[in-house]
Amino acid sequence: MLVGLSDQLARIMESVFEAYLGPDSVLASAVGQAVGSGEPEDIPRRNTDVWVLGKKYNAIQELELIRRDIQSRLWCTYRHGFSPLGEVQLTTDKGWGCMLRCGQMVLAQALIDLHLGRDWFWTPDCRDATYLKIVNRFEDVRNSFYSIHQIAQMGESQNKAVGEWLGPNTVAQILKKLVRFDDWSSLAIHVAMDSTVVLDDVYASCREGGSWKPLLLIIPLRLGITDINPLYVPALKRCLELDSSCGMIGGRPNQALYFLGYVDDEVLYLDPHTTQRTGAVAQKTAAAEQDYDETYHQKHAARLNFSAMDPSLAVCFLCKTSDSFESLLTQFKEEVLSLCSPALFEISQARAVDWDTTEDIDWPTMPDIDWPAGTSDSDSFAIVEESGRDSDAGCSGASGSGKKPSESAVI
């Protein structure tokens, strides 16, 4: 009897050990989860399509290609340690500059696509002269064309104090002015007001002496009051599928984000809410410059359900030629605007007579800013003392209301 009881107890103990230590055990599962937690959840592990700036990928078969594509975009984030900015002498944009950074990312994507092509991929060893010209333009020094200094100081001409949040429409208007000082970029920006693309205005911006100047078209939208109206989601998805897509400037309530693609019902984004040191890529000859270049690239995008997006956003498109713009208009009419009612935006040949527009604003010339001489990009930059990164969980602000473009308080 004792022998039988002993054998029965042994079998019970074996089953217990198997349950906790076997290949399909509780412990193995817990260990697997702990080990797996180090793997980012940027792209879902299922057989589905992933769209990144007009390119379609398979989530399982092309995972590393998706990550290479995302990593090749410029990731513009909060910085600290730059030269004092404004009357309050700010040396960081943490807590107020995330919408400005999203504007930088859209413009950087347009320049990369225009000058390097949509199929270009970045690598840590990249010293391509054209790439360096582009990234130098976003370094946070006073004489960089699209630095935080230039954007914030130009914002003052729209009665936005340095350190004050800017909405997507204001950032778009500022970038529109700044590109006019950058001959090398060879880019025109048109901001479509009141959710309407006015063709006469676009042609006036891009047709110079019979030739077409490449166009970055930015269309600010308000797609709800406090939450995005779900009827617009299919049209937003289609915008991200178009080969001319430069993504979207937007966010979730109180946080600005750069949307560059989607998977199923989730939008993919790069988040500027990481604070990094200020420095310089320059010509990327020194080890410190090579390391600093890597701070402009993020391999893993994050995901957000479309329903969680802030209703204030701007869709962005690059048209390199007149034909590509006409082709985009056809896609708008046949593939985007028909997906919801009311339509995502409107297209009009001419502007309404009483339409108020920022063209009527007496924009000042650039005061107290040291622009680079000519189109030279050989200026040297000082390396600021190195420090680590830290993340910023959120920003403050409040939402507006109405369907027309509005500056939602995301910074």
Side-chain angles (χ1 to χ4, degrees):
M1 179 176 178
L2 291 176
V3 173
L5 182 62
S6 176
D7 291 340
Q8 184 179 2
L9 181 60
R11 286 194 298 271
I12 292 173
M13 293 302 296
E14 287 177 0
S15 66
V16 170
F17 281 118
E18 180 66 22
Y20 280 89
L21 300 177
D24 299 319
S25 67
V26 173
L27 181 59
S29 176
V31 171
Q33 291 177 3
V35 173
S37 63
E39 178 68 14
E41 298 181 357
D42 53 339
I43 305 298
R45 307 301 190 270
R46 56 179 178 267
N47 188 23
T48 189
D49 292 335
V50 179
W51 287 90
V52 179
L53 297 170
K55 280 194 171 186
K56 185 170 74 170
Y57 298 96
N58 180 272
I60 295 178
Q61 300 174 4
E62 299 176 292
L63 177 59
E64 287 308 312
L65 194 58
I66 294 170
R67 290 174 173 171
R68 282 193 65 197
D69 196 349
I70 290 170
Q71 190 177 30
S72 297
R73 310 311 115 207
L74 276 199
W75 179 44
C76 300
T77 71
Y78 289 152
R79 298 281 176 177
H80 70 86
F82 50 68
S83 57
L85 177 60
E87 293 183 3
V88 291
Q89 297 290 282
L90 296 173
T91 58
T92 180
D93 63 314
K94 180 179 180 180
W96 60 271
C98 60
M99 186 63 78
L100 282 67
R101 299 302 185 180
C102 291
Q104 287 179 322
M105 285 189 268
V106 164
L107 179 56
Q109 172 54 28
L111 294 179
I112 288 173
D113 193 347
L114 177 62
H115 294 286
L116 293 170
R118 181 61 186 87
D119 295 327
W120 176 85
F121 281 170
W122 174 87
T123 65
D125 297 329
C126 174
R127 289 189 176 86
D128 182 276
T130 300
Y131 166 72
L132 293 176
K133 282 179 181 287
I134 293 172
V135 73
N136 290 162
R137 281 164 159 71
F138 296 90
E139 293 174 338
D140 287 322
V141 292
R142 294 185 184 279
N143 63 347
S144 290
F145 284 98
Y146 310 115
S147 67
I148 194 75
H149 299 76
Q150 309 293 18
I151 297 175
Q153 291 185 26
M154 181 62 86
E156 291 184 310
S157 65
Q158 286 204 328
N159 299 317
K160 297 293 186 181
V162 173
E164 183 179 354
W165 71 267
L166 305 179
N169 178 53
T170 302
V171 169
Q173 295 290 351
I174 290 171
L175 295 177
K176 174 182 176 180
K177 300 300 174 181
L178 289 177
V179 295
R180 296 177 179 175
F181 295 89
D182 184 8
D183 293 336
W184 178 85
S185 289
S186 185
L187 186 69
I189 294 180
H190 177 74
V191 183
M193 301 302 296
D194 286 345
S195 304
T196 304
V197 178
V198 180
L199 300 183
D200 287 349
D201 290 346
V202 173
Y203 296 139
S205 300
C206 298
R207 287 176 175 171
E208 297 182 349
S211 62
W212 176 269
K213 191 170 188 178
L215 166 70
L216 174 57
L217 176 62
I218 301 178
I219 310 174
L221 303 169
R222 182 81 189 184
L223 304 179
I225 300 177
T226 58
D227 300 305
I228 195 166
N229 190 324
L231 70 85
Y232 293 112
V233 171
L236 292 177
K237 288 182 177 181
R238 186 64 188 125
C239 285
L240 291 168
E241 295 172 6
L242 301 180
D243 57 7
S244 57
S245 174
C246 279
M248 299 185 293
I249 306 173
R252 53 189 167 204
N254 304 329
Q255 282 190 325
L257 305 169
Y258 172 46
F259 300 121
L260 74 170
Y262 80 92
V263 51
D264 297 332
D265 291 322
E266 295 178 305
V267 64
L268 301 175
Y269 66 87
L270 292 178
D271 190 347
H273 297 88
T274 295
T275 305
Q276 304 186 87
R277 64 184 176 87
T278 298
V281 177
Q283 299 307 302
K284 206 175 172 181
T285 53
E289 295 169 349
Q290 296 174 25
D291 292 341
Y292 191 70
D293 181 41
E294 295 187 21
T295 70
Y296 281 99
H297 298 275
Q298 169 61 268
K299 187 175 183 179
H300 305 111
R303 288 182 281 149
L304 179 73
N305 195 285
F306 275 94
S307 63
M309 292 171 59
D310 190 278
S312 179
L313 54 88
V315 290
C316 309
F317 307 91
L318 176 67
C319 300
K320 302 178 185 179
T321 65
S322 177
D323 287 344
S324 66
F325 177 67
E326 298 301 329
S327 186
L328 178 63
L329 289 178
T330 300
Q331 290 177 314
F332 282 162
K333 295 173 183 177
E334 297 179 356
E335 303 173 28
V336 176
L337 303 184
S338 61
L339 291 177
C340 54
S341 180
L344 191 65
F345 53 85
E346 298 176 0
I347 299 174
S348 173
Q349 184 65 44
R351 183 195 309 172
V353 176
D354 59 347
W355 202 344
D356 185 20
T357 173
T358 53
E359 293 299 330
D360 300 325
I361 296 176
D362 183 18
W363 289 86
T365 55
M366 300 298 290
D368 302 322
I369 293 178
D370 299 324
W371 289 100
T375 58
S376 173
D377 294 281
S378 60
D379 296 336
S380 60
F381 302 93
I383 299 296
V384 178
E385 182 179 9
E386 183 172 346
S387 61
R389 305 179 182 179
D390 62 77
S391 62
D392 187 276
C395 310
S396 60
S399 295
S401 62
K403 165 76 167 63
K404 293 300 181 181
S406 176
E407 301 287 60
S408 178
V410 284
I411 58 176

